[in-house]
Amino acid sequence: MTMQLCTARATDGPGDESPFALGLLLRRAHDRVAAELLGVLRPLGLEFRHFIVLVALHHGGPMSQRALVGAVGSDKATMVRVVDDLERAGLVTRDPRPGDRRVHTITPTPAGTAVFDTAHRHAEPVAARLSDGLGDVRLLLDLLTRLAFPGEA
């Protein structure tokens, strides 16, 4: 007795119609976009792990390291290293919270805001090039948002 597959098998390439196609294509798309955007971030002294913390701080305001862990989906040890890197670079400050010196508030510095804004300016032409020929990019962003944040978008 031979076992028959009821769906297409994964190919990890164009035309993949397997149940893995969405994840495999998203991984490939992420890898391509990440490589291009790292070309913008690295000259500014940033990796994605640094940039995502700056995103959280500029979006949510100053917050504790614990809150940052939740905001970016990291772990405590990684967050300590990332905040150490950003603090050494002068992009954030880490200040004890009044009344509880065990809790530190992470705040972007003016230099951190300037680097964050510079990254955005430099990313604009990269994003335009990556999205060229995709049609309605707003639709793609809407679909990806609904996938990433079910029930919130």
Side-chain angles (χ1 to χ4, degrees), residues 11 13-14 18 21 30 42-43 45-46 50 60 65 74 91 96 99 101 103 106 111 118 130:
T11 65
S18 75
H30 170 267
R42 283 193 173 137
L46 300 174
H50 303 121
Q65 285 183 193
S74 181
L91 303 180
R101 295 183 52 84
V103 177
I106 313 305
T118 298
L130 286 166

Side-chain angles (χ1 to χ4, degrees), residues 75-93:
D75 60 76
K76 184 179 174 183
T78 300
M79 186 56 61
V80 168
R81 287 190 303 273
V82 170
V83 171
D84 285 348
D85 291 347
L86 291 169
E87 188 177 34
R88 261 191 308 279
L91 303 180
V92 301
T93 59

Side-chain angles (χ1 to χ4, degrees), residues 6 20 146 152:
C6 60
F20 296 98
R146 288 192 280 158
E152 293 182 42

Side-chain angles (χ1 to χ4, degrees), residues 100-116:
D100 190 351
R101 295 183 52 84
R102 296 168 300 168
V103 177
H104 289 83
T105 300
I106 313 305
T107 306
T109 64
T113 299
V115 165
F116 187 69

Side-chain angles (χ1 to χ4, degrees), residues 15-87:
D16 188 339
E17 294 182 6
S18 75
F20 296 98
L22 179 60
L24 293 169
L25 285 168
L26 287 171
R27 180 186 59 84
R28 293 249 184 198
H30 170 267
D31 290 349
R32 179 170 179 232
V33 171
E36 294 283 335
L37 291 175
L38 272 173
V40 169
L41 295 175
R42 283 193 173 137
L44 299 173
L46 300 174
E47 297 289 334
F48 272 115
R49 63 185 177 271
H50 303 121
F51 186 70
I52 196 66
V53 167
L54 291 175
V55 168
L57 292 171
H58 283 87
H59 178 72
M63 63 183 79
S64 70
Q65 285 183 193
R66 181 183 302 251
L68 274 171
V69 165
V72 305
S74 181
D75 60 76
K76 184 179 174 183
T78 300
M79 186 56 61
V80 168
R81 287 190 303 273
V82 170
V83 171
D84 285 348
D85 291 347
L86 291 169
E87 188 177 34

